Amino acid sequence: MDGEFASLLVAGGSASIAIASLIWAMRVTDGARGGVDAWKKRARDLEDKVAWADAIFGAHPGVVLIWEDITADGDGDWGAPRIYGSPLALASLLRFSDAAVAASPAVRILQGLSVFDATDATGAATRLSPALTRLRREGAAFSLKISTPDGVFVEVDGRTAGARAVAWIMDASVRGVEEGAAGGRIGIGHEVIARDPAAFLEMWNGAPFIAWRVNGALKLEWANPEYLAALEAKSLDQALARNLQLDQGAVELARKAIETGEAVEETRSVVVRGGELRAFRLRVSPVAGGAAGMAIDVTEQEAAREHIARQQRAHDETLNFLAEGIAVFDAQKRLVFHNRAFEQMWNLEPAFLADRPAHAAWLDYLKEKRKLPAHANYAEWRARELALYQEHNDLPQDFWVLPDGRMFRIARQRHPNGGLLLIFSDITNEVSLKSSYDALLQTQKAALDKLHEAVVVFGLDGRLKLSNAAFQAMWKIEADQLQAEMPFDRVVELCQPLFHDKAMWAQVRARITDPSPEARTEYRAEMRRSDETVLKFLTRPLPDGATLVAFQDITADRRVEEALRERAEAFEQADKLKGQFVENVSYQLRNPLQAILGNAELLQHRVFGPLNDRQVEQVGSIIDAAGNLSKLIDNILDVAMVEAGNVQLDLGPVNIYDTITESVQMAASKARDTEVPIRIKCDPAIGDIEADQKRITQVIVNLLSNALRHTERGDTITVSAERLEGIVRLTVADTGKGMGFDQQARAFDSFESGDRRGAGLGLALVRSFVEMHGGWVALQSEPGRGVTVTCHLPASAPAAGPPPTPPATKKAA
């Protein structure tokens, strides 16, 4: 471009010389009329070229200054330069050089630019004036870039064109736009900000917010339509001419951005469009040559923020009236809100809360004051508490039992603004009351379950409130069939299989659900169930409106008179039968039994011939059965005689050891059959007692027989005796199956037996014979742990009278 403009300059100078020569020739040669027309035509052509050259120079986007040496000797008297270029470009450069005061526009531009620092192509610092001097005197070309304090960059190129010096002056921003457009980029100053300058400008002009730019002198350079509409400017030129600023605050923000080199922001209230006050968020950033700003209308946002703030204040005031302690920790885990209940609940100092302590510091403070629950590892527990800020699942609830006995329920939830909201509820009284209520309820339930009577409670709405175990057992109801709040009709359905009188159930229902005073009275009646059980029941109103219904099984009460009469008749009949039996048993039983026993013994001794093995076994069974029957008859006669008081003791010295040995030998044969060993544990020198030899032997044999019936192979029987302070304690113990606790109380009664292998007279005779000797009998047993029977025999039997009362300690033993 510089070469093209230089050629045009040379062509213009040549045209001027040619015109001057033509005029001189016409004066000298008046007769050359034939060549006048040709020279006129050539002059017109040259004038057209000069006009064309001026038009080209005038279209240049910058400013072109041309100096000509006006001296004949060429000593360098150049005079004022001629100015070419765009008026807009000239106005722009004049605006950039407001510091110049010269009258000539060209001189004003040069003086304005000469006072600023410049850099050449190598980056070295220089000045414009020396460069212009060297250009005009020496023809030294230059290319400089000048930076004004306003942040505007101006490029100045100097060249020679013949005897002329030419300076090309251009706004660097305009140059950058042109070069950027050619290369596909657009630049403001030296910063590339967009690919397409037209699209970039269109984007800012179509932005829905206010945007503008000022130069280094804080004068408006450009604004988008939103800016113009807000300030009611008719055009950009009008806004530039009037230097319309958004407000003084925006000007100060631009000044601060230029001075600091950093973007600044501020929310301000600005009067726009007919005096309307709107809130704008202003952001002003430094750019090449000045500052650029944008303002976004945030009136609605500010109003919403203020509304939210009012709502938050009202919410906080509401929380202050709650009994629960409320604390809010933000995302940085610092306390940002607490209500009065929280402060009082933890007895925290206002100064501590005013510092907005962190969550961890608050926990440490409570631990120091001994207000936190005890933990084996406090650091680990605190870490878990603080980790809840990163918890994404549902936040847990906890119960804290404090050292002072209070119990807190802690609920956590995420706060909308980030962080956690903690709710502390003092449930000490609630837990205490609930514990007392539960204890009272359990006590009441336990007391009801201990009753033999069946008890059930219904509310005024006819729903089941309470029942005891006896009710379920009496009506044969499974525990899972009864449910809380079950309707009365459903409970009756469970009871109807045993009692289906609907009229009676309707009367009971009326006593429960009818609130009238006539119905809420105690009601008693009886019902006979299908299983012949007779129940007496009553309904009794309770103070809370509920009704208690109690059932009592009186079947035995109704039968007691009949049972007593039958028992009395049975006693009378038994006395008669006993007397008859005692009179006839000797003859009626013993004679046939002796015949059976005698014939069996003859067969056993093969008097009538040999017997096979099967016959020998059967004959042996007959002999054993006859022996047992004979023994049973003897026992029955002895019992009858004892009860009749016809038995007399034949007292004499009895050696305890010898008597035990003989008795064991008598029971040894049966012990061999059962393979149960019988052991004797007695000092041979134990000595004698005064007793009936026959009855003592009978006592020991009966005890051994009883033990053999309750033992099996692998068990043992031990017979022991010891002398203690005038008493001989005779004991027979076995390791058999033992006796049930319910059988022990009846073990010494007549005709009571623990199995089906005896009539149960052996132990009855043992007690009778021991008591006749003035002693007593004790029995100890547990199921599976054998039976121990101890006979306490005095060393000297009393001559007559009732047996002595056994000592409590020995009886318990």
Side-chain angles (χ1 to χ4, degrees):
M1 181 181 291
D2 294 342
E4 181 181 354
F5 279 107
S7 298
L8 292 174
L9 180 62
V10 172
S14 298
S16 300
I17 294 173
I19 292 173
S21 299
L22 177 60
I23 295 173
W24 177 79
M26 289 178 65
R27 289 179 180 178
V28 175
T29 310
D30 294 334
R33 301 295 183 182
V36 172
D37 295 335
W39 283 107
K40 286 182 178 180
K41 182 177 181 301
R42 184 175 182 183
R44 286 195 299 269
D45 292 340
L46 291 176
E47 288 177 356
D48 291 340
K49 289 183 178 180
V50 171
W52 178 79
D54 290 340
I56 293 297
F57 283 120
H60 185 263
V63 177
V64 181
L65 303 180
I66 302 175
W67 287 269
E68 292 188 22
D69 189 355
I70 59 176
T71 61
D73 54 4
D75 59 359
D77 187 5
W78 296 87
R82 296 176 60 185
I83 300 176
Y84 295 91
S86 170
L88 292 178
L90 179 60
S92 176
L93 288 177
L94 289 175
R95 185 170 68 250
F96 293 156
S97 54
D98 286 339
V101 295
S104 171
V107 175
R108 182 180 178 184
I109 292 173
L110 292 177
Q111 289 180 348
L113 296 177
S114 297
V115 299
F116 304 134
D117 292 335
T119 56
D120 59 16
T122 64
T126 182
R127 291 280 184 173
L128 176 61
S129 297
L132 288 174
T133 301
R134 288 194 300 272
L135 171 67
R136 288 178 294 193
R137 292 182 178 180
E138 303 172 6
F142 66 88
S143 179
L144 299 179
K145 184 174 294 183
I146 298 173
S147 176
T148 72
D150 297 340
V152 178
F153 292 92
V154 178
E155 292 183 357
V156 181
D157 292 327
R159 299 288 187 273
T160 59
R164 296 170 180 80
V166 182
W168 310 84
I169 303 174
M170 182 177 292
D171 186 354
S173 60
V174 177
R175 181 84 173 267
V177 170
E178 292 176 350
E179 293 176 354
R185 299 182 298 175
I186 180 169
I188 297 179
H190 297 283
E191 299 178 6
V192 177
I193 59 174
R195 291 284 179 181
D196 187 352
F200 174 74
L201 191 60
E202 181 180 357
M203 177 189 71
W204 281 100
N205 284 331
F209 52 82
I210 295 172
W212 72 97
R213 172 173 173 163
V214 297
N215 61 16
L218 301 178
K219 291 184 179 181
L220 184 67
E221 287 188 339
W222 171 86
N224 70 345
E226 287 290 328
Y227 184 97
L228 301 178
L231 298 184
E232 299 179 333
K234 295 181 179 179
S235 65
L236 178 60
D237 291 337
Q238 182 188 34
L240 295 177
R242 296 171 57 186
N243 192 30
L244 291 179
Q245 298 287 351
L246 196 61
D247 69 348
Q248 187 60 33
V251 175
E252 295 300 324
L253 287 178
R255 186 191 310 279
K256 184 176 181 181
I258 294 173
E259 291 175 354
T260 62
E262 297 180 354
V264 291
E265 291 187 8
E266 184 178 311
T267 300
R268 296 182 56 81
S269 295
V270 180
V271 178
V272 296
R273 291 187 185 93
E276 183 181 3
L277 185 64
R278 307 286 293 181
F280 288 91
R281 183 64 180 173
L282 277 65
R283 178 180 175 87
V284 182
S285 304
V287 296
M294 58 182 176
I296 299 176
D297 192 340
V298 294
T299 305
E300 286 74 16
Q301 292 89 325
E302 289 297 315
R305 182 180 293 108
E306 179 61 27
H307 177 72
I308 292 174
R310 288 196 301 268
Q311 293 288 340
Q312 184 65 40
R313 288 192 295 270
H315 178 263
D316 292 347
E317 286 299 322
T318 302
L319 294 181
N320 274 327
F321 288 99
L322 295 181
E324 290 79 6
I326 309 294
V328 178
F329 292 88
D330 61 12
Q332 286 71 40
K333 304 178 183 178
R334 301 195 70 85
L335 182 66
V336 294
F337 173 78
H338 68 278
N339 64 351
R340 286 189 291 267
F342 174 81
E343 180 178 350
Q344 296 169 0
M345 182 178 291
W346 294 104
N347 193 21
L348 298 173
E349 298 178 0
F352 174 77
L353 295 174
D355 291 338
R356 297 179 59 190
H359 197 151
W362 172 68
L363 293 176
D364 294 340
Y365 179 85
L366 294 182
K367 182 179 183 299
E368 179 183 354
K369 299 296 184 180
R370 300 182 181 274
K371 295 181 179 181
L372 282 181
H375 295 92
N377 191 331
Y378 169 74
E380 181 179 345
W381 174 82
R382 189 184 71 164
R384 288 197 304 269
E385 286 290 314
L386 299 179
L388 294 177
Y389 284 85
Q390 286 76 41
E391 183 65 39
H392 298 292
N393 300 324
D394 293 337
L395 297 176
Q397 288 192 6
D398 285 336
F399 292 91
W400 291 2
V401 180
L402 305 186
D404 59 4
R406 291 182 297 167
M407 178 177 288
F408 285 176
R409 178 174 57 236
I410 295 87
R412 305 176 178 88
Q413 67 181 41
R414 302 205 172 278
H415 197 268
N417 296 331
L420 291 180
L421 183 145
L422 306 182
I423 304 174
F424 299 87
S425 302
D426 189 344
I427 59 173
T428 307
N429 294 334
E430 177 184 345
V431 171
S432 178
L433 290 175
K434 187 177 184 303
S435 177
S436 300
Y437 174 77
D438 290 342
L440 181 62
L441 191 63
Q442 293 298 325
T443 302
Q444 183 184 41
K445 186 73 169 69
L448 291 177
D449 284 339
K450 295 297 182 181
L451 296 177
H452 294 291
E453 293 79 5
V455 176
V456 62
V457 178
F458 292 93
L460 190 59
D461 56 355
R463 293 185 176 275
L464 179 64
K465 302 300 181 182
L466 190 64
S467 65
N468 67 347
F471 176 78
Q472 300 173 15
M474 179 175 290
W475 290 98
K476 297 179 174 56
I477 300 174
E478 299 294 334
D480 56 353
Q481 290 181 298
L482 284 179
Q483 300 176 1
E485 301 297 325
M486 179 181 287
F488 176 82
D489 294 339
R490 178 62 184 140
V491 178
V492 171
E493 290 178 6
L494 299 176
C495 300
Q496 279 183 344
L498 293 175
F499 185 75
H500 54 274
D501 188 345
K502 295 183 179 180
M504 181 68 73
W505 289 120
Q507 291 182 358
V508 176
R509 179 186 177 86
R511 300 289 174 173
I512 293 173
T513 59
D514 189 350
S516 64
E518 294 79 8
R520 293 193 60 75
T521 57
E522 186 174 302
Y523 174 70
R524 297 174 180 266
E526 293 183 5
M527 55 177 62
R528 183 176 294 273
R529 302 194 312 191
S530 59
D531 60 355
E532 297 303 323
T533 302
V534 179
L535 300 181
K536 179 176 67 175
F537 74 91
L538 65 87
T539 64
R540 177 170 296 173
L542 300 178
D544 60 351
T547 301
L548 179 143
V549 183
F551 298 86
Q552 183 179 7
D553 187 350
I554 60 171
T555 306
D557 295 341
R558 289 291 178 264
R559 297 174 181 173
V560 66
E561 294 179 1
E562 182 180 356
L564 291 175
R565 286 194 298 269
E566 291 177 355
R567 184 176 182 183
E569 293 174 357
F571 280 142
E572 293 177 1
Q573 188 66 25
D575 288 340
K576 293 179 182 179
L577 291 175
K578 183 173 66 173
Q580 296 173 1
F581 177 77
V582 172
E583 293 177 358
N584 297 320
V585 70
S586 179
Y587 178 78
Q588 297 294 337
L589 293 178
R590 286 187 180 277
N591 288 340
L593 183 60
Q594 291 297 330
I596 294 171
L597 185 60
N599 290 326
E601 289 177 349
L602 290 176
L603 291 174
Q604 188 180 34
H605 291 87
R606 297 176 176 83
V607 175
F608 304 106
L611 302 175
N612 57 32
D613 294 341
R614 181 67 179 275
Q615 291 171 339
V616 171
E617 182 180 353
Q618 292 177 347
V619 170
S621 297
I622 294 172
I623 294 174
D624 290 340
N628 290 334
L629 184 57
S630 177
K631 183 178 179 181
L632 177 60
I633 293 172
D634 291 340
N635 287 339
I636 292 174
L637 291 175
D638 288 341
V639 170
M641 293 177 65
V642 169
E643 290 181 354
N646 296 327
V647 175
Q648 298 294 326
L649 297 179
D650 185 9
L651 299 177
V654 177
N655 186 277
I656 298 300
Y657 181 79
D658 294 340
T659 304
I660 292 175
T661 303
E662 293 174 0
S663 300
V664 170
Q665 290 176 354
M666 293 175 63
S669 60
K670 191 169 184 179
R672 284 194 299 270
D673 294 339
T674 59
E675 300 183 6
V676 176
I678 301 177
R679 300 174 181 175
I680 300 175
K681 186 179 179 182
C682 178
D683 185 1
I686 191 172
D688 300 339
I689 63 171
E690 184 180 4
D692 188 331
Q693 176 73 40
K694 177 182 177 182
R695 301 307 180 186
I696 297 300
T697 302
Q698 194 172 356
V699 166
I700 298 175
V701 171
N702 284 343
L703 290 176
L704 290 174
S705 298
N706 182 73
L708 288 171
R709 286 201 308 271
H710 295 84
T711 52
E712 299 176 353
R713 178 183 302 177
D715 293 328
T716 59
I717 300 174
T718 302
V719 182
S720 61
E722 59 180 345
R723 187 183 293 271
L724 298 170
E725 299 179 358
I727 298 293
V728 173
R729 188 161 63 186
L730 177 64
T731 303
V732 176
D734 64 72
T735 61
K737 61 184 181 181
M739 298 178 65
F741 294 106
D742 57 337
Q743 297 176 354
Q744 295 179 29
R746 304 187 303 270
F748 294 100
D749 295 341
S750 300
F751 299 100
E752 286 289 340
S753 175
D755 53 20
R756 298 183 179 180
R757 294 180 292 174
L761 294 175
L763 291 180
L765 287 174
V766 167
R767 184 176 65 176
S768 298
F769 291 152
V770 171
E771 289 179 352
M772 289 178 65
H773 282 80
W776 68 92
V777 181
L779 183 145
Q780 292 180 344
S781 178
E782 291 185 17
R785 295 190 178 183
V787 178
T788 299
V789 180
T790 303
C791 301
H792 300 81
L793 297 171
S796 299
T805 302
T809 55
K810 294 184 178 181
K811 184 177 181 180

